[in-house]
Amino acid sequence: MNAIMNIQIRIILTTAPLAFALATWFPSGVSADELREAQVTQVIQDVKVLPSGAAPRPAAVNDDVRPGTAVQTGTQSRSELTFKDQTITRLGEKTIFSVGGGARTIDLGSGQFLLYVPKKAGGAKVKMGPVTAAITGTTVVGHVAPSGIVEFTVLEGTARVRLDSVGQCLLVVAGQKVTYDPIAMRLEDPVEVDLQQQQSNPLVTGFRPLPSTPYMNSAIEKQRRAAAGTGGAELASAVSASGAVSIGAATPEQFLAAFSSLLVRYPQAEICDFVATAVRLRPELADRIVVAAVTGSRPVRGYSKEAKDFKQKEMPCDWVQCIVDAAIAGSPRMANEIINALLQAAPMLRECIGEPCFPANQFRPPLVISPLTPQVNSPEKPPKGD
């Protein structure tokens, strides 16, 4: 086991396939099958169910949609589907949607969609032509145009958007949109969008309120505070109480003490946003901020994917990944340091961390995960036998 842990894992981000740990990891009690069957929960005007090998028929509330069955909406028509784990998909006009063949995967053939995945549902993948988005506990909207242009916007939470053909992976956070250009055959850099304006989308307003409405409202408020430059007010106050003149003038110890003092007061749903704020204010401390966030809130010692009680007592993988993503988004050039510091502090969380995505298309050095223990024997000088 020590020999395995001593191996340096080198990942060339621009060419290596990007595999996400969260895509195959499901919380206790959540089955992959829970995203392989949905019920139609709302029908507005012309909506059809297209069973495999059978003639299309008008959709009705409570119709089942399983792999091999598609749903199609007509002009000025919309529909909503709800899965067993309460994941919700809403379809805009002229849209074709089907449940994917892979675990927890849905396919958007064309058109407009909204996807809401509950925070503890185990995540999902949405395929949009050549583009795949991996999301956990997130609300997103997207559009696949007849021209092949794909637009994908995060309303709350985070998403990892991949273009497998060229090994691209972008981290998209609340208030950002990423576009796939079929002519350039690449994902463009994420751009900011007005989250308040996004609330007027018919896929939001034309249905019952989403369970994620409080999270979307929180994301809107955070965007407003960020625009006003007041996002770090609580940290500034805590840093001042430690004796520092300002956040920038605080020593690393003063800033981290202030961060940790506030961390214990934050509900779990807001910790990732708090981490992002702290990293934006002191990006050179991103690695230490992540370690404090992960080890200072919930126990991580003895983590095991198979442990029966780890869900109740220890930190779930989706929370760890959310914290790491938030920190990398705030300080992309610290990605290596962030991941290595976390694995040194809590090596049992190695399998929780997927390969990193970045918030822009810029060259990054290869990710090198440092060995957890020093290499004792040189391969050039093997140990002498007795």
Side-chain angles (χ1 to χ4, degrees), residues 26-27 30-31 34 85-87 104 117-124 137 318:
F26 307 113
V30 175
S31 164
E34 291 188 349
D85 64 359
Q86 300 309 302
T87 291
R104 300 192 65 80
V117 179
K119 299 296 180 187
K120 297 181 180 180
D318 55 352

Side-chain angles (χ1 to χ4, degrees), residues 35-36 66-68 97-107 127:
L35 206 61
R36 292 176 61 85
R66 300 184 177 89
F97 163 90
S98 61
V99 179
R104 300 192 65 80
T105 301
I106 60 176
D107 293 329
K127 294 182 64 64

Side-chain angles (χ1 to χ4, degrees), residues 7-21:
I7 295 174
Q8 286 191 339
I9 304 173
R10 299 179 181 272
I11 304 165
I12 307 301
L13 293 176
T14 55
T15 59
L18 296 173
F20 301 112

Side-chain angles (χ1 to χ4, degrees), residues 48-51 54-58:
K48 290 184 173 62
V49 174
L50 285 63
R57 56 180 174 78

Side-chain angles (χ1 to χ4, degrees), residues 61-288:
V61 172
N62 295 328
D63 275 351
D64 290 330
V65 179
R66 300 184 177 89
T69 300
V71 176
Q72 182 178 43
T73 59
T75 302
Q76 297 183 344
S77 302
R78 299 191 301 275
S79 186
E80 179 186 80
L81 295 86
T82 302
F83 292 82
K84 288 183 178 180
D85 64 359
Q86 300 309 302
T87 291
I88 294 172
T89 298
R90 292 174 178 175
L91 311 177
E93 67 173 356
K94 300 179 181 178
T95 297
I96 299 177
F97 163 90
S98 61
V99 179
R104 300 192 65 80
T105 301
I106 60 176
D107 293 329
L108 184 75
S110 62
Q112 310 162 59
F113 77 98
L114 177 148
L115 178 64
Y116 156 71
V117 179
K119 299 296 180 187
K120 297 181 180 180
K125 286 184 179 180
V126 54
K127 294 182 64 64
M128 302 161 285
V131 178
T132 303
I135 63 177
T136 59
T138 311
T139 306
V140 301
V141 292
H143 181 225
V144 179
S147 64
I149 293 174
V150 177
E151 294 180 331
F152 181 88
T153 302
V154 178
L155 303 183
E156 58 93 13
T158 60
R160 295 168 158 220
V161 182
R162 302 173 57 192
L163 184 61
D164 288 330
S165 61
V166 295
Q168 252 186 314
C169 182
L170 290 176
L171 180 67
V172 187
V173 300
Q176 289 186 330
K177 177 177 74 173
V178 66
T179 301
Y180 167 71
D181 182 347
I183 296 178
M185 293 188 293
R186 59 172 283 155
L187 295 167
E188 302 296 340
D189 286 344
V191 297
E192 297 294 322
V193 298
D194 188 330
L195 285 174
Q196 184 62 63
Q197 290 183 358
Q198 292 292 316
Q199 296 303 300
S200 63
N201 187 316
L203 296 181
V204 177
T205 61
F207 297 83
R208 59 194 168 101
L210 285 164
S212 60
T213 296
Y215 298 114
M216 290 193 289
N217 290 339
S218 178
I220 291 170
E221 184 58 30
K222 288 184 176 68
Q223 191 175 63
R224 287 174 178 166
R225 290 203 305 266
T230 58
E234 290 177 298
L235 267 172
S237 178
V239 165
S240 177
S242 72
V245 177
S246 66
I247 286 177
T251 66
E253 289 70 25
Q254 286 175 321
F255 182 84
L256 289 166
F259 172 79
S260 297
S261 70
L262 294 174
L263 182 69
V264 295
R265 308 176 195 173
Y266 269 72
Q268 179 178 335
E270 297 180 19
I271 284 180
C272 294
D273 291 323
F274 183 46
V275 168
T277 297
V279 170
R280 283 196 299 270
L281 293 170
R282 292 294 295 265
E284 80 282 5
L285 299 177
D287 52 343
R288 297 175 67 178

